[in-house]
Amino acid sequence: MSLLDRHRAVVPDWLALYYREPVEIVRGEGRHVWDAEGRRYLDFFGGILTTMTAHALPEVTKAVGEQAGRIIHSSTLYLNRPMVELAERIAALSGIPDARVFFTTSGTEANDTALLLATAYRRTNQVLAMRNSYHGRSFSTVSITGNHAWSPTSLSPLQTLYVHGGVRTRGPYAQLSDDRFVQACVADLEDLLGHTREVAALIAEPVQGVGGFTSPPDGLYAAFREVLNRHGILWISDEVQTGWGRTGDHFWGWQAHDAAGPPDLLTFAKGIGNGMSVGGVVGSAAVMNCLDANSISTFGGSPITMAAGLANLGFLLENDLQGNARRVGGLLIERLRAAAAKVPAVREVRGRGLMIGVELVRPGTDEADHQAASAVLEAAREAGLLIGKGGGHNTSVLRIAPPLTLTVAEAEEGAVLFERALRSL
């Protein structure tokens, strides 16, 4: 029996696999991975934006090995030096005054925790979220996910209201200028708040990840924040995909809306562990300390994952990978735009840093073409390039997010392979 047959026999049907013939990845190094047949691929998706720096980064593997040789696990019931040290670094980097940090094992759990904190602090279960958003797969986070393809149930512990603004080039405000787009979205928010009771928080991704790497004009969340502050509503910035310098211009996605100041709560995960299970929430002490019941985390903040996070974050900062994302990402997006200009099915190439989306439609229309996206995904794999897929309109956006150590030569190579895959349409 093949591994695929064994997978299907024991794993739920809703656990998605890429490709008609799914790939078993067995090894990685730098920006490349190898499958079980020995074929090498240039990795432009990094395990869903999780291999942030590089596969098998020596600094991280050494830190993990050394920590595993001392102790792997103890839980948060005991003092944990690596956890405290990483919390100190993240608190300082967050920009949030008097910050506290709680570690989880995933972005889903991080957002779940942020929702718990916000609703407890504000004493209401009403939450604002963005249309086309994605925040995780738990019972509470699917209920604030504004992308129906990733929200399998309408049952919810929260009452969620959705706001315009996460998608710039689709929807009723798409034809407006940036300034008028922001004004219209703020007016929508004001109108919504005029018809509802107390709201706990607005949760928003500065760049929507699963939604297809869409983002509003810079300054939208600053304008939103003025409204939220008048109502005492918290702002949760979901930085699970946008954090740690991936967008190039900023370390955090919220900083593109800098006039707003830091969010009340910031959630993170994915890249910080470079493949290890690390997520978390950082927020002001007033909000983070609001729970009036005991809590622990069995696996959040484990010594081995914290050691990986410390080594990975240190490498990222010491080697200015944010600057590399800005420089190499800028080159890559221009190469992709040049390639896409020759393909009628490409509606838009968008992105920031090393976070790039290519949206496909039926030529001559704005109708999303998920079949074309699937075809390009397959063709890219055949060419030796791994990319992702997403989008709020039938997963018609190809997602490109390589490790942040991507070189200029690898960016050029990937652009050539991607153009070859596009031309296969």
Side-chain angles (χ1 to χ4, degrees):
M1 184 182 291
S2 71
L3 183 60
L4 177 58
D5 290 333
R6 291 163 61 192
H7 173 99
R8 288 171 172 161
V10 295
V11 172
D13 291 344
W14 43 259
L15 194 66
L17 285 168
Y18 272 170
Y19 310 118
R20 288 187 296 268
E21 297 179 7
V23 177
E24 179 190 1
I25 294 175
V26 297
R27 184 168 72 88
E29 182 178 338
R31 276 69 55 197
H32 291 87
V33 295
W34 285 258
D35 67 18
E37 281 71 48
R39 185 172 182 192
R40 188 179 81 153
Y41 302 88
L42 182 58
D43 186 3
F44 265 33
F45 203 38
I48 319 178
L49 290 79
T50 299
T51 306
M52 178 170 67
T53 48
H55 291 281
L57 186 72
E59 289 80 355
V60 172
T61 56
K62 179 183 178 184
V64 169
E66 290 177 350
Q67 182 60 52
R70 292 190 292 270
I71 187 169
I72 292 176
H73 177 73
S74 62
S75 92
T76 55
L77 290 172
Y78 305 94
L79 285 173
N80 178 340
R81 188 175 300 274
M83 184 182 79
V84 172
E85 290 176 352
L86 185 55
E88 288 172 339
R89 298 204 75 176
I90 292 173
L93 289 166
S94 72
I96 298 174
D98 194 23
R100 301 290 188 273
V101 182
F102 176 77
F103 288 105
T104 67
T105 60
S106 70
T108 290
E109 191 189 350
N111 285 331
D112 197 74
T113 302
L115 293 168
L116 168 65
L117 290 163
T119 53
Y121 184 78
R122 291 278 293 153
R123 302 186 66 80
T124 172
N125 74 333
Q126 196 153 246
V127 174
L128 302 177
M130 306 301 294
R131 299 183 183 192
N132 194 52
S133 58
Y134 174 83
H135 297 288
R137 57 172 177 75
S138 69
F139 187 46
S140 70
T141 55
V142 297
S143 73
I144 57 162
T145 287
N147 184 328
H148 73 87
W150 294 92
S151 186
T153 176
S154 61
L155 302 175
S156 172
L158 302 168
Q159 182 179 3
T160 307
L161 303 170
Y162 291 100
V163 182
H164 280 294
V167 182
R168 178 65 186 91
T169 62
R170 285 187 180 272
Y173 308 145
Q175 304 308 314
L176 301 177
S177 67
D178 282 355
D179 287 345
R180 293 195 63 197
F181 180 92
V182 170
Q183 292 169 10
C185 293
V186 170
D188 173 64
L189 174 62
E190 293 266 26
D191 181 68
L192 189 64
L193 293 176
H195 295 280
T196 189
R197 298 184 180 183
E198 291 293 305
V199 172
L202 165 71
I203 185 168
E205 306 156 273
V207 179
Q208 293 183 334
V210 171
F213 292 168
T214 64
S215 60
D218 290 353
L220 174 75
Y221 293 116
F224 275 7
R225 190 68 184 277
E226 293 180 9
V227 178
L228 298 178
N229 286 346
R230 290 202 303 271
H231 292 267
I233 298 169
L234 302 181
W235 175 30
I236 304 169
S237 186
D238 179 344
E239 302 274 356
V240 169
Q241 297 196 31
T242 52
W244 319 110
R246 177 166 288 282
T247 63
D249 290 333
H250 305 98
F251 193 77
W252 302 110
W254 69 260
Q255 290 170 320
H257 311 268
D258 194 44
D264 298 290
L265 293 167
L266 181 155
T267 60
F268 59 86
K270 289 194 182 290
I272 183 60
N274 204 45
M276 299 294 281
S277 298
V278 184
V281 184
V282 55
S284 63
V287 179
M288 294 293 287
N289 292 337
C290 75
L291 301 184
D292 60 1
N294 292 327
S295 191
I296 62 166
S297 182
T298 302
F299 292 108
S302 73
I304 195 166
T305 60
M306 297 295 95
L310 276 167
N312 196 44
L313 181 58
F315 182 89
L316 178 140
L317 296 171
E318 291 160 14
N319 292 276
D320 187 23
L321 296 193
Q322 176 186 333
N324 193 64
R326 181 177 62 253
R327 293 185 296 272
V328 181
L331 168 70
L332 179 58
I333 196 169
E334 289 308 315
R335 294 291 187 272
L336 295 175
R337 281 176 175 155
K342 308 167 188 174
V343 181
V346 177
R347 178 177 184 268
E348 183 180 23
V349 179
R350 55 179 176 254
R352 292 173 178 267
L354 287 172
M355 195 173 187
I356 303 168
V358 180
E359 184 177 352
L360 302 182
V361 293
R362 300 189 188 282
T365 76
D366 268 352
E367 184 183 346
D369 194 341
H370 68 94
Q371 292 178 329
S374 295
V376 175
L377 191 81
E378 293 281 357
R381 179 247 173 133
E382 287 299 317
L385 180 71
L386 301 186
I387 57 177
K389 191 171 62 167
H393 294 79
N394 296 317
T395 59
S396 63
V397 180
L398 299 165
R399 296 203 289 158
I400 295 169
L404 302 188
T405 51
L406 186 75
T407 67
V408 169
E410 290 164 342
E412 296 277 11
E413 177 191 358
V416 169
L417 297 175
F418 187 78
E419 180 173 9
R420 188 181 305 164
L422 272 181
R423 286 179 176 274
S424 72
L425 287 175

